[in-house]
């Protein structure tokens, strides 16, 4: 990993660390695979099998670990993708979704079980600027959505 980032997200997989890292770097445009470290003799994993894979997504560093079946992802931890427009929301939703309807409020779980929040950055700005009635309408609209629809959120913010 490079020296610029001081906190790195470490993701636990059950044998799919390299596959997941390759998948994520294929989805995010400004990404790359980093070092792959293999289990040495006497380690908890099979000698020579992939232990960790470093990768970078849009400048954010991650490490995927093949740690075994002991832990799995839950929605208690999610990664937020701040999207510039609806096209970006649609892109990430399509690529990270496992084909299901997704979860409430822009959350989607990928094929490895990792939860992502696919959110247009305009949503936060609308909520910050909104009066209490408009903020309530925005939240009601968002709570009724799976994939977030920026045009619908904007309509909710402006409705009387």
């Amino acid at each position: 990993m490079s020296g610029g980032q001081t906190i790195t997200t470490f993701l636990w997989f059950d044998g799919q660390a390299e596959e997941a890292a390759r998948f994520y770097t294929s989805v995010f445009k400004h990404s790359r695979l980093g070092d792959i470290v293999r289990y040495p003799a006497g380690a908890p994993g099979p000698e020579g099998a992939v232990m960790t894979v470093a990768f970078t997504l849009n400048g954010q560093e991650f490490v995927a670990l093949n740690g075994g079946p002991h832990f799995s992802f839950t929605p208690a931890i999610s990664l937020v993708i701040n999207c510039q427009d609806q096209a970006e929301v649609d892109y990430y939703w399509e690529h990270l979704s496992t084909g299901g309807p997704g979860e409430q409020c822009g959350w989607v779980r990928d094929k490895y079980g990792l939860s992502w929040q696919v959110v247009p950055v305009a949503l936060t700005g609308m909520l910050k600027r909104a009066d209490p009635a408009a903020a309530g309408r925005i939240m009601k609209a968002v709570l009724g959505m799976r994939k977030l629809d920026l045009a619908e959120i904007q309509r909710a913010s402006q409705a009387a």
Side-chain angles (χ1 to χ4, degrees):
M1 310 284 2
S2 70
Q5 184 174 306
T6 60
I7 297 174
T8 300
T9 302
F10 213 82
L11 303 170
W12 184 292
F13 294 88
D14 182 15
Q16 316 97 335
E18 184 175 6
E19 176 187 321
R22 289 185 186 284
F23 171 70
Y24 296 139
T25 56
S26 76
V27 170
F28 291 85
K29 293 174 178 63
H30 304 287
S31 303
R32 65 176 179 76
L33 282 177
D35 294 334
I36 297 176
V37 177
R38 299 188 178 279
Y39 279 107
E47 182 178 354
V50 171
M51 181 171 68
T52 62
V53 180
F55 61 102
T56 304
L57 305 179
N58 292 349
Q60 179 72 39
E61 297 173 356
F62 295 85
V63 174
L65 166 72
N66 279 327
H70 314 293
F71 301 107
S72 58
F73 297 117
T74 75
I77 297 290
S78 61
L79 302 176
V80 178
I81 305 169
N82 293 302
C83 299
Q84 297 304 309
D85 54 31
Q86 188 66 46
E88 224 177 19
V89 169
D90 295 345
Y91 171 85
Y92 287 115
W93 188 271
E94 176 186 332
H95 285 82
L96 294 171
S97 170
T98 57
E103 299 174 24
Q104 190 175 19
C105 304
W107 289 48
V108 64
R109 194 179 296 209
D110 70 26
K111 61 186 173 183
Y112 304 102
L114 186 58
S115 292
W116 299 82
Q117 295 181 52
V118 184
V119 181
V121 293
L123 174 59
T124 303
M126 281 188 268
L127 285 169
K128 282 196 275 188
R129 291 186 304 274
D131 61 70
R137 290 190 308 270
I138 292 167
M139 285 310 302
K140 183 178 180 184
V142 168
L143 289 170
M145 296 178 188
R146 294 195 182 276
K147 179 175 73 171
L148 297 182
D149 181 330
L150 185 54
E152 186 62 33
I153 294 167
Q154 289 169 330
R155 280 191 289 279
S157 75
Q158 297 165 356

